[in-house]
Amino acid sequence: WDEQDGFYYDLLRLPDGRATHLKVRSLVGLLPFCAVTVIEAEQRQRVPGVLARLKERVTHLPHLAEGVFVSEEGKLGVNGRGLAALVKEDRLRRILRTMLDEAEFLGPYGIRALSRYHDDHPYVFHVGRDAHKVAYCPAESDSGVFGGNSNWRGPVWFPMNFLVIRALLHYHLYFGEAFEVECPTGSDRWMDLFHVAREISDRLVRVFLRGPDGRHRA
Protein backbone atom coordinates (compact mmCIF):
# COMPACT_ATOMS: atom_id res chain seq x y z
CA TRP A 1 0.00 0.00 0.00
CA ASP A 2 1.32 3.42 -0.98
CA GLU A 3 -0.26 5.98 1.33
CA GLN A 4 0.67 8.95 -0.86
CA ASP A 5 -0.87 7.51 -4.04
CA GLY A 6 -3.70 5.65 -2.32
CA PHE A 7 -3.00 2.51 -4.32
CA TYR A 8 -1.41 -0.92 -4.06
CA TYR A 9 1.78 -1.69 -6.01
CA ASP A 10 4.06 -4.65 -6.52
CA LEU A 11 6.97 -4.63 -4.10
CA LEU A 12 10.41 -5.58 -5.38
CA ARG A 13 12.80 -6.89 -2.75
CA LEU A 14 16.44 -6.41 -3.63
CA PRO A 15 19.34 -8.75 -2.73
CA ASP A 16 20.71 -6.23 -0.21
CA GLY A 17 17.46 -6.31 1.77
CA ARG A 18 16.04 -3.05 0.46
CA ALA A 19 12.59 -2.91 -1.12
CA THR A 20 11.00 -0.55 -3.61
CA HIS A 21 7.52 -0.09 -5.04
CA LEU A 22 7.10 -0.78 -8.75
CA LYS A 23 4.69 2.06 -9.40
CA VAL A 24 2.73 0.49 -12.22
CA ARG A 25 -1.00 1.17 -11.87
CA SER A 26 -2.43 -2.15 -12.97
CA LEU A 27 -4.98 -4.74 -11.91
CA VAL A 28 -2.41 -5.76 -9.29
CA GLY A 29 -3.49 -2.70 -7.33
CA LEU A 30 -7.19 -3.56 -7.61
CA LEU A 31 -7.00 -7.22 -6.60
CA PRO A 32 -6.67 -6.56 -2.83
CA PHE A 33 -10.11 -4.93 -2.74
CA CYS A 34 -11.53 -8.00 -4.52
CA ALA A 35 -10.66 -10.12 -1.47
CA VAL A 36 -13.92 -9.53 0.39
CA THR A 37 -16.89 -11.58 1.53
CA VAL A 38 -20.11 -10.89 3.37
CA ILE A 39 -20.80 -13.01 6.44
CA GLU A 40 -24.48 -13.44 7.21
CA ALA A 41 -25.73 -13.83 10.80
CA GLU A 42 -26.67 -17.45 10.14
CA GLN A 43 -23.15 -18.20 8.96
CA ARG A 44 -21.60 -16.58 12.04
CA GLN A 45 -23.78 -18.69 14.30
CA ARG A 46 -22.93 -21.87 12.44
CA VAL A 47 -19.13 -21.51 12.63
CA PRO A 48 -18.32 -19.06 15.47
CA GLY A 49 -14.78 -20.38 15.87
CA VAL A 50 -13.75 -19.44 12.33
CA LEU A 51 -14.21 -15.70 12.87
CA ALA A 52 -12.54 -15.90 16.28
CA ARG A 53 -9.45 -17.52 14.77
CA LEU A 54 -9.40 -15.01 11.93
CA LYS A 55 -9.51 -12.05 14.32
CA GLU A 56 -6.81 -13.63 16.48
CA ARG A 57 -4.63 -14.11 13.40
CA VAL A 58 -4.96 -10.47 12.39
CA THR A 59 -4.20 -9.32 15.96
CA HIS A 60 -0.89 -11.17 15.91
CA LEU A 61 0.09 -9.69 12.54
CA PRO A 62 0.07 -5.91 13.09
CA HIS A 63 1.23 -5.15 9.54
CA LEU A 64 -1.94 -6.84 8.25
CA ALA A 65 -4.20 -5.15 10.79
CA GLU A 66 -3.55 -1.78 9.10
CA GLY A 67 -5.63 -2.85 6.13
CA VAL A 68 -7.62 -5.96 7.04
CA PHE A 69 -11.18 -5.44 8.22
CA VAL A 70 -13.19 -8.07 10.08
CA SER A 71 -16.47 -6.69 11.40
CA GLU A 72 -17.34 -7.31 15.03
CA GLU A 73 -20.72 -7.39 16.72
CA GLY A 74 -20.67 -3.63 17.26
CA LYS A 75 -19.76 -2.92 13.63
CA LEU A 76 -22.28 -4.97 11.71
CA GLY A 77 -23.63 -3.65 8.44
CA VAL A 78 -27.02 -3.60 6.75
CA ASN A 79 -29.37 -6.31 8.05
CA GLY A 80 -26.78 -7.44 10.58
CA ARG A 81 -24.28 -8.54 7.95
CA GLY A 82 -20.63 -8.97 8.81
CA LEU A 83 -17.69 -8.41 6.49
CA ALA A 84 -14.20 -9.81 6.06
CA ALA A 85 -12.01 -7.78 3.72
CA LEU A 86 -8.39 -6.97 2.97
CA VAL A 87 -9.29 -3.31 2.41
CA LYS A 88 -10.87 -0.97 4.95
CA GLU A 89 -13.35 1.75 4.03
CA ASP A 90 -10.88 4.63 3.75
CA ARG A 91 -8.59 2.68 1.41
CA LEU A 92 -11.57 1.38 -0.55
CA ARG A 93 -12.72 4.92 -1.33
CA ARG A 94 -9.24 5.93 -2.51
CA ILE A 95 -8.91 2.84 -4.74
CA LEU A 96 -12.35 3.43 -6.26
CA ARG A 97 -11.51 7.04 -6.98
CA THR A 98 -8.67 5.83 -9.21
CA MET A 99 -10.48 2.81 -10.65
CA LEU A 100 -13.54 4.86 -11.69
CA ASP A 101 -11.47 7.59 -13.36
CA GLU A 102 -11.91 7.43 -17.14
CA ALA A 103 -8.37 8.76 -17.52
CA GLU A 104 -7.18 5.75 -15.51
CA PHE A 105 -9.01 2.38 -15.38
CA LEU A 106 -12.63 3.00 -16.35
CA GLY A 107 -12.92 2.51 -20.10
CA PRO A 108 -15.97 2.54 -22.39
CA TYR A 109 -16.01 -1.29 -22.32
CA GLY A 110 -15.04 -2.03 -18.71
CA ILE A 111 -12.09 -1.86 -16.35
CA ARG A 112 -8.73 -1.76 -18.09
CA ALA A 113 -5.89 -4.08 -17.09
CA LEU A 114 -3.50 -1.12 -17.00
CA SER A 115 -4.25 2.50 -16.24
CA ARG A 116 -4.48 4.76 -19.27
CA TYR A 117 -2.23 7.09 -17.28
CA HIS A 118 0.69 5.04 -18.57
CA ASP A 119 -0.15 5.98 -22.16
CA ASP A 120 1.47 9.36 -21.58
CA HIS A 121 3.56 8.27 -18.61
CA PRO A 122 5.21 4.88 -19.23
CA TYR A 123 6.77 3.37 -16.12
CA VAL A 124 10.51 2.87 -16.49
CA PHE A 125 12.61 0.80 -14.10
CA HIS A 126 16.40 0.96 -14.41
CA VAL A 127 18.62 -2.02 -13.65
CA GLY A 128 22.22 -1.04 -14.20
CA ARG A 129 22.39 0.26 -17.75
CA ASP A 130 19.15 -1.44 -18.79
CA ALA A 131 15.79 0.30 -18.77
CA HIS A 132 12.61 -1.76 -18.53
CA LYS A 133 9.42 0.00 -19.63
CA VAL A 134 5.73 -0.66 -19.06
CA ALA A 135 3.45 1.37 -21.31
CA TYR A 136 -0.28 1.38 -22.01
CA CYS A 137 -0.91 -1.02 -24.90
CA PRO A 138 -4.62 -1.93 -25.05
CA ALA A 139 -4.59 -4.13 -28.14
CA GLU A 140 -1.89 -6.34 -29.66
CA SER A 141 1.45 -6.12 -27.91
CA ASP A 142 4.18 -4.01 -29.47
CA SER A 143 6.79 -6.60 -28.49
CA GLY A 144 7.21 -10.37 -28.41
CA VAL A 145 7.48 -10.43 -24.62
CA PHE A 146 4.90 -12.62 -22.84
CA GLY A 147 4.08 -14.47 -26.04
CA GLY A 148 3.18 -11.34 -27.97
CA ASN A 149 -0.03 -10.49 -26.10
CA SER A 150 -0.66 -7.41 -24.01
CA ASN A 151 -3.07 -8.85 -21.44
CA TRP A 152 -1.53 -6.89 -18.56
CA ARG A 153 -0.96 -3.76 -20.62
CA GLY A 154 -4.45 -2.33 -21.04
CA PRO A 155 -7.09 -4.66 -22.53
CA VAL A 156 -10.32 -5.37 -20.68
CA TRP A 157 -10.38 -8.83 -19.11
CA PHE A 158 -13.90 -10.14 -18.51
CA PRO A 159 -12.86 -12.55 -15.68
CA MET A 160 -11.04 -9.76 -13.82
CA ASN A 161 -14.00 -7.43 -14.30
CA PHE A 162 -16.21 -10.15 -12.85
CA LEU A 163 -14.06 -10.16 -9.68
CA VAL A 164 -14.36 -6.37 -9.44
CA ILE A 165 -18.16 -6.50 -9.86
CA ARG A 166 -18.45 -9.29 -7.27
CA ALA A 167 -16.41 -7.25 -4.78
CA LEU A 168 -18.55 -4.16 -5.32
CA LEU A 169 -21.72 -6.16 -4.69
CA HIS A 170 -20.35 -7.66 -1.47
CA TYR A 171 -19.33 -4.23 -0.17
CA HIS A 172 -22.80 -2.95 -1.12
CA LEU A 173 -24.49 -5.74 0.83
CA TYR A 174 -22.55 -4.60 3.89
CA PHE A 175 -22.56 -0.79 3.53
CA GLY A 176 -25.88 -0.38 1.75
CA GLU A 177 -27.17 2.63 -0.17
CA ALA A 178 -25.56 5.14 2.20
CA PHE A 179 -22.10 4.36 0.79
CA GLU A 180 -21.78 6.40 -2.41
CA VAL A 181 -18.88 7.22 -4.71
CA GLU A 182 -18.48 9.46 -7.72
CA CYS A 183 -18.82 7.48 -10.95
CA PRO A 184 -17.11 8.33 -13.22
CA THR A 185 -14.64 10.22 -11.05
CA GLY A 186 -15.01 13.96 -11.65
CA SER A 187 -18.50 13.63 -13.18
CA ASP A 188 -20.43 14.78 -10.08
CA ARG A 189 -22.58 11.65 -10.51
CA TRP A 190 -22.84 9.86 -7.18
CA MET A 191 -24.11 6.32 -6.83
CA ASP A 192 -24.04 3.40 -4.43
CA LEU A 193 -21.84 0.40 -5.15
CA PHE A 194 -24.69 -1.66 -6.61
CA HIS A 195 -25.14 0.95 -9.33
CA VAL A 196 -21.38 1.22 -9.82
CA ALA A 197 -21.33 -2.54 -10.44
CA ARG A 198 -24.19 -2.13 -12.91
CA GLU A 199 -22.38 0.72 -14.68
CA ILE A 200 -19.33 -1.49 -15.21
CA SER A 201 -21.57 -4.38 -16.33
CA ASP A 202 -23.31 -2.15 -18.87
CA ARG A 203 -19.95 -1.09 -20.26
CA LEU A 204 -18.88 -4.71 -20.63
CA VAL A 205 -22.08 -5.49 -22.52
CA ARG A 206 -21.32 -2.70 -25.01
CA VAL A 207 -18.63 -4.94 -26.49
CA PHE A 208 -21.40 -7.04 -28.04
CA LEU A 209 -23.84 -4.30 -29.03
CA ARG A 210 -24.23 -2.95 -32.55
CA GLY A 211 -24.25 0.74 -33.31
CA PRO A 212 -26.74 2.64 -35.50
CA ASP A 213 -24.80 1.50 -38.57
CA GLY A 214 -25.29 -2.15 -37.62
CA ARG A 215 -21.64 -2.67 -36.79
CA HIS A 216 -20.20 -3.71 -33.42
CA ARG A 217 -19.01 -0.73 -31.42
CA ALA A 218 -15.75 -2.26 -30.20
Coordinates of all heavy atoms in Angstrom, one line a residue, residues 38-92:
V38 N -19.1 -11.2 2.4 CA -20.1 -10.9 3.4 C -20.3 -12.1 4.2 O -20.3 -13.3 3.7 CB -21.4 -10.5 2.7 CG1 -22.6 -10.5 3.6 CG2 -21.3 -9.1 2.1
I39 N -20.5 -11.9 5.5 CA -20.8 -13.0 6.4 C -22.2 -12.8 7.1 O -22.3 -11.8 7.9 CB -19.7 -13.1 7.5 CG1 -18.3 -13.2 6.9 CG2 -19.9 -14.3 8.4 CD1 -17.2 -13.0 7.9
E40 N -23.1 -13.6 6.7 CA -24.5 -13.4 7.2 C -24.6 -13.9 8.7 O -23.7 -14.7 9.1 CB -25.5 -14.2 6.4 CG -25.5 -13.8 4.9 CD -26.2 -12.5 4.7 OE1 -26.8 -11.9 5.7 OE2 -26.3 -12.0 3.5
A41 N -25.6 -13.5 9.4 CA -25.7 -13.8 10.8 C -25.8 -15.3 11.0 O -25.2 -15.9 11.9 CB -27.0 -13.2 11.4
E42 N -26.5 -16.0 10.1 CA -26.7 -17.5 10.1 C -25.3 -18.1 10.0 O -25.0 -19.1 10.7 CB -27.6 -17.9 9.0 CG -27.8 -19.4 9.0 CD -28.7 -19.8 7.8 OE1 -29.8 -19.3 7.7 OE2 -28.2 -20.6 7.0
Q43 N -24.5 -17.6 9.1 CA -23.1 -18.2 9.0 C -22.3 -18.0 10.2 O -21.5 -18.9 10.6 CB -22.5 -17.6 7.7 CG -23.2 -17.9 6.4 CD -22.6 -17.1 5.3 OE1 -22.4 -15.9 5.4 NE2 -22.4 -17.7 4.1
R44 N -22.4 -16.8 10.8 CA -21.6 -16.6 12.0 C -22.0 -17.5 13.2 O -21.2 -18.0 13.9 CB -21.8 -15.1 12.5 CG -21.2 -14.1 11.5 CD -21.0 -12.7 12.1 NE -22.2 -12.2 12.7 CZ -23.2 -11.5 12.1 NH1 -23.0 -11.3 10.8 NH2 -24.2 -11.0 12.7
Q45 N -23.3 -17.8 13.2 CA -23.8 -18.7 14.3 C -23.4 -20.1 14.0 O -23.1 -20.9 15.0 CB -25.3 -18.6 14.4 CG -25.8 -17.2 14.8 CD -27.3 -17.1 14.6 OE1 -28.0 -18.0 14.2 NE2 -27.8 -15.9 14.9
R46 N -23.2 -20.5 12.8 CA -22.9 -21.9 12.4 C -21.5 -22.2 12.7 O -21.1 -23.3 13.1 CB -23.3 -22.1 11.0 CG -23.3 -23.6 10.6 CD -23.6 -23.8 9.1 NE -24.6 -22.8 8.6 CZ -24.6 -22.4 7.3 NH1 -23.7 -22.9 6.5 NH2 -25.6 -21.6 7.0
V47 N -20.6 -21.3 12.4 CA -19.1 -21.5 12.6 C -18.5 -20.4 13.4 O -17.7 -19.6 12.9 CB -18.4 -21.7 11.3 CG1 -18.7 -23.0 10.7 CG2 -18.8 -20.6 10.3
P48 N -18.8 -20.2 14.7 CA -18.3 -19.1 15.5 C -16.8 -19.1 15.6 O -16.2 -18.1 15.8 CB -19.0 -19.2 16.8 CG -19.4 -20.7 16.9 CD -19.7 -21.1 15.5
G49 N -16.2 -20.3 15.6 CA -14.8 -20.4 15.9 C -14.0 -19.9 14.7 O -12.8 -19.4 14.9
V50 N -14.5 -19.9 13.5 CA -13.8 -19.4 12.3 C -13.4 -18.0 12.4 O -12.3 -17.5 12.2 CB -14.5 -19.7 11.0 CG1 -13.8 -19.1 9.8 CG2 -14.7 -21.2 10.8
L51 N -14.4 -17.1 12.8 CA -14.2 -15.7 12.9 C -13.3 -15.4 14.0 O -12.4 -14.5 13.9 CB -15.5 -15.0 13.1 CG -16.3 -14.7 11.8 CD1 -17.6 -14.0 12.1 CD2 -15.5 -13.9 10.8
A52 N -13.4 -16.1 15.1 CA -12.5 -15.9 16.3 C -11.1 -16.1 15.9 O -10.2 -15.4 16.3 CB -13.0 -16.8 17.4
R53 N -10.8 -17.2 15.2 CA -9.4 -17.5 14.8 C -8.9 -16.5 13.8 O -7.8 -16.1 13.8 CB -9.4 -18.9 14.2 CG -9.5 -20.0 15.2 CD -9.1 -21.4 14.6 NE -10.0 -21.8 13.6 CZ -11.1 -22.6 13.9 NH1 -11.4 -22.9 15.1 NH2 -11.9 -22.9 12.9
L54 N -9.8 -16.0 12.9 CA -9.4 -15.0 11.9 C -9.0 -13.7 12.6 O -8.0 -13.1 12.3 CB -10.5 -14.7 10.9 CG -10.3 -13.7 9.9 CD1 -9.1 -14.0 9.0 CD2 -11.5 -13.5 9.0
K55 N -9.8 -13.3 13.6 CA -9.5 -12.0 14.3 C -8.2 -12.2 15.1 O -7.4 -11.3 15.2 CB -10.7 -11.7 15.2 CG -11.9 -11.3 14.5 CD -13.1 -11.1 15.4 CE -14.4 -10.7 14.6 NZ -15.6 -10.7 15.5
E56 N -8.0 -13.4 15.7 CA -6.8 -13.6 16.5 C -5.6 -13.6 15.6 O -4.6 -13.0 15.9 CB -6.9 -15.0 17.2 CG -5.7 -15.3 18.0 CD -5.8 -16.7 18.6 OE1 -6.8 -17.4 18.3 OE2 -4.9 -17.1 19.4
R57 N -5.7 -14.1 14.4 CA -4.6 -14.1 13.4 C -4.2 -12.7 13.0 O -3.1 -12.3 13.0 CB -5.1 -14.9 12.2 CG -4.1 -14.9 11.0 CD -2.9 -15.9 11.3 NE -2.1 -16.1 10.2 CZ -0.9 -16.7 10.2 NH1 -0.5 -17.2 11.4 NH2 -0.2 -16.9 9.1
V58 N -5.2 -11.9 12.8 CA -5.0 -10.5 12.4 C -4.3 -9.7 13.5 O -3.4 -8.9 13.3 CB -6.3 -9.8 12.0 CG1 -6.1 -8.3 11.8 CG2 -6.8 -10.4 10.7
T59 N -4.8 -10.0 14.8 CA -4.2 -9.3 16.0 C -2.7 -9.6 16.1 O -1.9 -8.7 16.5 CB -4.9 -9.8 17.2 OG1 -6.3 -9.5 17.1 CG2 -4.4 -9.1 18.5
H60 N -2.3 -10.8 15.8 CA -0.9 -11.2 15.9 C 0.0 -10.8 14.7 O 1.2 -11.1 14.7 CB -0.8 -12.7 16.2 CG -1.2 -13.1 17.5 ND1 -2.5 -13.3 17.9 CD2 -0.5 -13.3 18.7 CE1 -2.6 -13.6 19.1 NE2 -1.4 -13.6 19.7
L61 N -0.7 -10.2 13.7 CA 0.1 -9.7 12.5 C -0.2 -8.2 12.3 O -1.1 -7.8 11.5 CB -0.3 -10.5 11.3 CG 0.0 -12.0 11.3 CD1 -0.6 -12.7 10.1 CD2 1.6 -12.2 11.3
P62 N 0.4 -7.3 13.1 CA 0.1 -5.9 13.1 C 0.1 -5.3 11.7 O -0.6 -4.4 11.4 CB 1.1 -5.3 14.0 CG 1.5 -6.4 14.9 CD 1.5 -7.7 14.1
H63 N 1.1 -5.8 10.9 CA 1.2 -5.1 9.5 C 0.0 -5.4 8.7 O -0.3 -4.7 7.8 CB 2.5 -5.6 8.8 CG 2.5 -7.1 8.6 ND1 2.7 -8.0 9.6 CD2 2.4 -7.8 7.4 CE1 2.7 -9.3 9.1 NE2 2.5 -9.2 7.8
L64 N -0.7 -6.5 9.0 CA -1.9 -6.8 8.3 C -3.1 -6.0 8.8 O -4.0 -5.6 8.1 CB -2.3 -8.3 8.3 CG -1.4 -9.3 7.5 CD1 -1.9 -10.7 7.7 CD2 -1.5 -8.9 6.0
A65 N -3.1 -5.8 10.1 CA -4.2 -5.2 10.8 C -4.4 -3.7 10.3 O -5.5 -3.2 10.4 CB -3.9 -5.1 12.3
E66 N -3.4 -3.1 9.7 CA -3.6 -1.8 9.1 C -4.6 -1.7 8.0 O -5.3 -0.8 7.8 CB -2.2 -1.3 8.6 CG -1.2 -1.0 9.6 CD 0.2 -0.5 9.0 OE1 0.2 -0.3 7.8 OE2 1.1 -0.4 9.7
G67 N -4.7 -2.9 7.2 CA -5.6 -2.9 6.1 C -6.8 -3.8 6.3 O -7.9 -3.5 5.8
V68 N -6.6 -4.9 6.9 CA -7.6 -6.0 7.0 C -8.8 -5.5 7.9 O -8.6 -4.9 8.9 CB -7.0 -7.3 7.6 CG1 -8.1 -8.3 7.9 CG2 -6.0 -7.8 6.7
F69 N -10.0 -5.8 7.5 CA -11.2 -5.4 8.2 C -12.0 -6.7 8.5 O -12.4 -7.4 7.5 CB -12.0 -4.4 7.5 CG -13.3 -4.1 8.1 CD1 -13.3 -3.3 9.3 CD2 -14.5 -4.6 7.7 CE1 -14.5 -2.9 9.9 CE2 -15.7 -4.3 8.3 CZ -15.7 -3.4 9.4
V70 N -12.3 -7.0 9.7 CA -13.2 -8.1 10.1 C -14.2 -7.5 11.0 O -13.9 -7.1 12.1 CB -12.5 -9.2 10.8 CG1 -13.4 -10.4 11.1 CG2 -11.3 -9.8 9.9
S71 N -15.5 -7.4 10.6 CA -16.5 -6.7 11.4 C -16.8 -7.5 12.7 O -16.8 -8.7 12.7 CB -17.8 -6.5 10.6 OG -18.3 -7.8 10.2
E72 N -17.0 -6.7 13.7 CA -17.3 -7.3 15.0 C -18.8 -7.0 15.3 O -19.5 -6.3 14.6 CB -16.4 -6.7 16.1 CG -14.9 -7.0 15.9 CD -14.0 -6.4 16.9 OE1 -14.6 -5.6 17.7 OE2 -12.8 -6.6 16.8
E73 N -19.3 -7.5 16.4 CA -20.7 -7.4 16.7 C -21.2 -5.9 16.7 O -22.3 -5.6 16.4 CB -21.0 -8.1 18.1 CG -21.0 -9.6 18.0 CD -21.9 -10.2 16.9 OE1 -23.0 -9.8 16.8 OE2 -21.4 -11.1 16.2
G74 N -20.3 -5.0 17.2 CA -20.7 -3.6 17.3 C -20.5 -2.9 16.0 O -20.8 -1.7 15.9
K75 N -20.0 -3.6 14.9 CA -19.8 -2.9 13.6 C -20.4 -3.7 12.5 O -19.9 -3.8 11.4 CB -18.3 -2.8 13.4 CG -17.5 -2.0 14.4 CD -16.0 -1.9 14.1 CE -15.2 -1.1 15.1 NZ -13.8 -1.1 14.8
L76 N -21.6 -4.2 12.7 CA -22.3 -5.0 11.7 C -22.9 -4.0 10.7 O -23.3 -2.9 11.0 CB -23.3 -5.9 12.3 CG -22.8 -7.0 13.3 CD1 -23.9 -7.8 13.8 CD2 -21.8 -7.9 12.5
G77 N -23.1 -4.5 9.5 CA -23.6 -3.6 8.4 C -25.1 -3.8 8.3 O -25.8 -4.2 9.2
V78 N -25.6 -3.5 7.1 CA -27.0 -3.6 6.7 C -27.6 -5.0 7.1 O -26.9 -6.0 6.7 CB -27.2 -3.3 5.3 CG1 -28.7 -3.5 4.9 CG2 -26.8 -1.8 5.0
N79 N -28.7 -5.1 7.7 CA -29.4 -6.3 8.0 C -28.5 -7.2 8.9 O -28.6 -8.5 8.8 CB -29.8 -7.0 6.8 CG -30.9 -6.3 6.1 OD1 -31.8 -5.6 6.7 ND2 -31.0 -6.4 4.8
G80 N -27.6 -6.6 9.7 CA -26.8 -7.4 10.6 C -25.7 -8.2 9.9 O -25.2 -9.2 10.5
R81 N -25.3 -7.8 8.7 CA -24.3 -8.5 8.0 C -22.9 -8.2 8.5 O -22.6 -7.0 8.9 CB -24.3 -8.2 6.5 CG -25.6 -8.7 5.8 CD -25.5 -8.5 4.3 NE -26.7 -9.0 3.6 CZ -27.7 -8.3 3.2 NH1 -27.7 -7.0 3.3 NH2 -28.8 -8.8 2.6
G82 N -22.0 -9.2 8.5 CA -20.6 -9.0 8.8 C -19.8 -8.9 7.5 O -20.3 -9.2 6.4
L83 N -18.6 -8.6 7.7 CA -17.7 -8.4 6.5 C -16.3 -8.8 6.8 O -15.8 -8.5 7.9 CB -17.7 -7.0 6.0 CG -17.1 -6.7 4.6 CD1 -18.0 -7.2 3.5 CD2 -16.7 -5.2 4.4
A84 N -15.6 -9.5 6.0 CA -14.2 -9.8 6.1 C -13.6 -9.3 4.8 O -14.0 -9.7 3.7 CB -13.9 -11.3 6.2
A85 N -12.6 -8.4 4.9 CA -12.0 -7.8 3.7 C -10.5 -7.4 4.0 O -10.1 -7.2 5.1 CB -12.8 -6.5 3.3
L86 N -9.8 -7.4 2.9 CA -8.4 -7.0 3.0 C -8.2 -5.5 2.9 O -7.2 -4.9 3.1 CB -7.6 -7.6 1.8 CG -7.1 -9.1 2.0 CD1 -6.3 -9.5 0.9 CD2 -6.4 -9.2 3.3
V87 N -9.3 -4.8 2.6 CA -9.3 -3.3 2.4 C -10.3 -2.6 3.3 O -11.5 -3.0 3.2 CB -9.5 -2.9 0.9 CG1 -9.6 -1.4 0.8 CG2 -8.4 -3.5 0.1
K88 N -9.9 -1.7 4.1 CA -10.9 -1.0 4.9 C -11.5 0.1 4.1 O -11.1 0.5 3.0 CB -10.1 -0.4 6.2 CG -9.7 -1.4 7.2 CD -9.0 -0.8 8.4 CE -8.5 -1.8 9.4 NZ -7.9 -1.2 10.5
E89 N -12.5 0.8 4.8 CA -13.4 1.7 4.0 C -12.5 2.9 3.5 O -12.8 3.3 2.3 CB -14.5 2.3 4.9 CG -15.4 3.3 4.3 CD -16.5 3.8 5.1 OE1 -16.7 3.2 6.2 OE2 -17.1 4.8 4.8
D90 N -11.6 3.5 4.2 CA -10.9 4.6 3.7 C -10.0 4.3 2.5 O -10.0 5.0 1.6 CB -10.0 5.2 4.9 CG -9.0 4.2 5.5 OD1 -9.3 3.0 5.3 OD2 -8.0 4.7 6.1
R91 N -9.4 3.1 2.6 CA -8.6 2.7 1.4 C -9.5 2.3 0.2 O -9.2 2.6 -0.9 CB -7.7 1.5 1.8 CG -6.6 1.8 2.7 CD -5.6 0.7 2.9 NE -4.6 1.0 3.9 CZ -3.6 0.2 4.2 NH1 -3.5 -1.0 3.6 NH2 -2.6 0.6 5.1
L92 N -10.6 1.7 0.5 CA -11.6 1.4 -0.5 C -12.0 2.6 -1.3 O -12.0 2.6 -2.6 CB -12.8 0.7 0.1 CG -14.0 0.4 -0.9 CD1 -13.5 -0.6 -2.0 CD2 -15.2 -0.1 -0.1

